[in-house]
Amino acid sequence: EDQVTQSPEALRLQEGESSSLNCSYTVSGLRGLFWYRQDPGKGPEFLFTLYSAGEEKEKERLKATLTKKESFLHITAPKPEDSATYLCAVQVKRGYQKVTFGTGTKLQVIP
Amino acid sequence: GAGVSQSPSNKVTEKGKDVELRCDPISGHTALYWYRQSLGQGLEFLIYFQGNSAPDKSGLPSDRFSAERTGGSVSTLTIQRTQQEDSAVYLCASSPRGGGTNLGGSPLHFGNGTRLTVT
């Protein structure tokens, strides 16, 4: 069974304090790994897709990396507006593109 | 163009009543998903559509839950005889292609959900 585990469940950072969120996955045949951001009362907003080990993607203060077993979302010098829940999801190579989500990391950035 | 649209945004219903939740995907997106998100929980997969057919209904919690999609576009999720444990946010997402691209998977694009409260 496909499994996605995110850690930590919650993270509190001071503004400017860089850190990383982890997403560990166990799947047979990864088609893609996605990172989403979710604000309260909103649907998840797509950030990145990673397809193969060694790949990296960047957007503003966020950088996502991928290995064969896990992905990291690095946040450099975060600002309060980066506060949100960050979700990781995997899509597997099976008949159709089923997407399985982790439970997310709730990030709070304190001014 | 417009993103994924869901209606209503909020629904309060009495236990035992039936409810219908609507999802209007991004135009041209052939794949459509329904997920459920309970307070503080992750996204629970319910059902997947490719066009008008549903290859995977494995996430539907019980036979009180059903969904259909017509014209390869709008989808409706119906919950019959609602129970308090059905209270959650129901999220719909669409994706351009059912099989992804040559590079790999296609990301899902979500609506803002319907918050269902069963009293």
Side-chain angles (χ1 to χ4, degrees), chain A residues 3 6 14-15 18 37-39 47 55 78 81-82:
Chain A
Q3 287 195 331
Q6 292 189 245
Q14 290 293 129
E15 184 172 2
S18 301
R37 168 191 172 127
Q38 186 174 24
D39 293 295
L47 293 173
E55 189 175 1
E81 54 262 41
D82 295 323

Side-chain angles (χ1 to χ4, degrees), chain A residues 31-32 34 36 38 41-46 48-49 51 87 91 95-104, chain B residues 31 33 35 37 42-43 45 48 56 58 91 95 97-101 103-108 110-112:
Chain A
R31 185 188 288 272
F34 309 115
Y36 287 85
Q38 186 174 24
K42 299 290 181 96
E45 175 190 350
F46 170 69
F48 303 111
T49 306
Y51 295 109
L87 297 168
Q91 189 175 65
Y96 73 96
Q97 48 177 345
K98 182 172 183 177
V99 180
T100 302
F101 281 82
T103 53
Chain B
Y33 302 75
Y35 286 85
Q37 188 173 35
L43 274 68
F45 169 78
Y48 159 80
D56 190 351
S58 63
L91 290 162
S95 180
R97 293 175 63 90
T101 69
L103 292 178
S106 299
L108 277 57
F110 283 86
N112 284 328

Side-chain angles (χ1 to χ4, degrees), chain A residues 1-43:
Chain A
E1 184 179 338
D2 305 326
Q3 287 195 331
V4 181
T5 304
Q6 292 189 245
S7 62
E9 289 185 8
L11 182 62
R12 196 175 183 195
L13 299 174
Q14 290 293 129
E15 184 172 2
E17 179 187 2
S18 301
S19 189
S20 297
L21 313 182
N22 178 262
C23 172
S24 298
Y25 62 92
T26 305
V27 300
S28 53
L30 181 71
R31 185 188 288 272
L33 184 142
F34 309 115
W35 281 98
Y36 287 85
R37 168 191 172 127
Q38 186 174 24
D39 293 295
K42 299 290 181 96

Side-chain angles (χ1 to χ4, degrees), chain B residues 4-9 11 19-25 32-34 68 70 73-78 90-93 111-114:
Chain B
V4 177
S5 178
Q6 292 189 246
S7 61
S9 54
K11 176 72 176 178
V19 295
E20 283 191 355
L21 313 180
R22 176 188 168 107
C23 173
D24 209 332
L32 186 146
Y33 302 75
W34 284 98
E68 64 176 13
T70 56
S73 181
V74 172
S75 177
T76 302
L77 177 69
T78 301
Y90 289 81
L91 290 162
C92 174
N112 284 328
T114 294

Side-chain angles (χ1 to χ4, degrees), chain A residues 48-63:
Chain A
F48 303 111
T49 306
L50 299 168
Y51 295 109
S52 57
E55 189 175 1
E56 299 182 352
K57 293 274 179 75
E58 285 189 68
K59 180 180 179 180
E60 296 180 357
R61 295 176 293 281
L62 300 177
K63 178 180 177 181

